[in-house]
Amino acid sequence: MKEKRLQLVEEFIQEKGTASLDELCDHFQVSKNTIRRDITKILEKGTIQKVYGGVRSVTDRLVPFENRDHANQEEKRTIGQIAATFIEEDEIIFIDSGTTTRNIIEFLPKHINLTLLTNSLDIINGAALMDNITLIIIGNNYKRNTKSFVGTDDSNTIDKYNVNKAFMAATGVSISHGLTNSDLLEYEIKKRIVATAEDIFLLADHSKYNKSTLLTYCPLKDVSTIVTEQPLSDEYTTFCTENNITIADPNLL
């Protein structure tokens, strides 16, 4: 119960940006001493900091999907095109929900057979028109604000699939916090997918780096390939070299 409350308190602060102690006490119906203990625990993660009379988030708040949809669209399309070049005959792939990953569908090879798992409505609609794709839908509840399906009746459903390549989106990417997102139900699917996939491809444009949100679903060192639209900084390039991570950029096209 305590761990669940800590998660909800942190999520509340992230969504609001700032919150007073009184506001947190009223919302969660607990004493000020309890909230102080919760805040002390969350402070250890580095995602919030104390301010006069309360706390504030020090991570980037989630931008609404409809706004992310239009941001850096050409860059995202380029990333989708690059990512599609890694897909091979008879592979089982997962394409994550997101405004970057959904661009893969336009460039999926039409001459090879694939099994495609996804929880993205945009990917489902595109793949349903392609005869060479066996489509498997993950998630049983539709989330309108991200056009994704979340939640499963059986938590082991995803584990049974032998996914060759997972093409993943992230709200924020950093060396310290890895691949992050802000939705608990999407987090569960992402975390299970990266745990079972042979190769993890991160699709992220330049605006996503050195940022983090509420939940880490994959350490950056576990990524096989980073697909991006422009060169990474020296810090990230060095990290990728040290951890045998391939960097794929427009030079591949």
Side-chain angles (χ1 to χ4, degrees), residues 2 13 16 23 25 39 96 101 151 163 177 182 186 193 197 219 223-224 229-230 234 248 250-251:
K2 179 184 176 182
I13 297 166
K16 297 276 290 184
E23 184 178 10
C25 290
I39 288 173
D96 198 6
T101 47
V163 177
H177 291 111
S182 296
E186 287 189 350
I193 285 291
V223 170
S224 307
E229 89 291 2
Q230 61 180 246
D234 290 343
N251 291 324

Side-chain angles (χ1 to χ4, degrees), residues 3-4 6-8 10-11 14-15 45 47 59-60 169-174 177-191 211-219:
E3 291 302 316
K4 179 64 175 178
L6 284 172
Q7 177 187 308
L8 293 173
E10 184 176 6
E11 189 170 7
Q14 300 292 348
E15 290 295 327
K45 297 174 66 177
T47 57
T59 60
D60 292 289
T171 308
V173 180
S174 71
H177 291 111
L179 283 55
T180 63
N181 80 306
S182 296
D183 183 274
L184 183 60
L185 292 176
E186 287 189 350
Y187 161 83
E188 293 294 343
I189 290 178
K190 291 173 186 287
K191 192 170 180 63
K211 296 181 180 179
S212 61
T213 51
L214 183 61
L215 303 163
T216 295
Y217 73 84
C218 179

Side-chain angles (χ1 to χ4, degrees), residues 91-154:
E91 284 190 322
I92 301 171
I93 67 172
F94 174 81
I95 301 180
D96 198 6
S97 62
T99 59
T100 302
T101 47
R102 75 176 194 181
N103 287 277
I104 297 178
I105 195 67
E106 180 181 349
F107 302 101
L108 278 178
K110 296 179 174 57
H111 61 284
I112 63 176
N113 295 315
L114 299 170
T115 298
L116 168 60
L117 284 70
T118 189
N119 65 328
S120 164
L121 179 62
D122 290 322
I123 297 295
I124 292 167
N125 287 337
L129 303 175
M130 303 174 70
D131 294 336
N132 61 316
I133 292 178
T134 300
L135 179 61
I136 299 173
I137 300 170
I138 302 295
N140 54 15
N141 292 302
Y142 181 57
K143 192 165 179 260
R144 283 186 175 81
N145 64 336
T146 56
K147 295 185 179 180
S148 63
F149 291 88
V150 297
T152 57
D153 292 329
D154 181 358

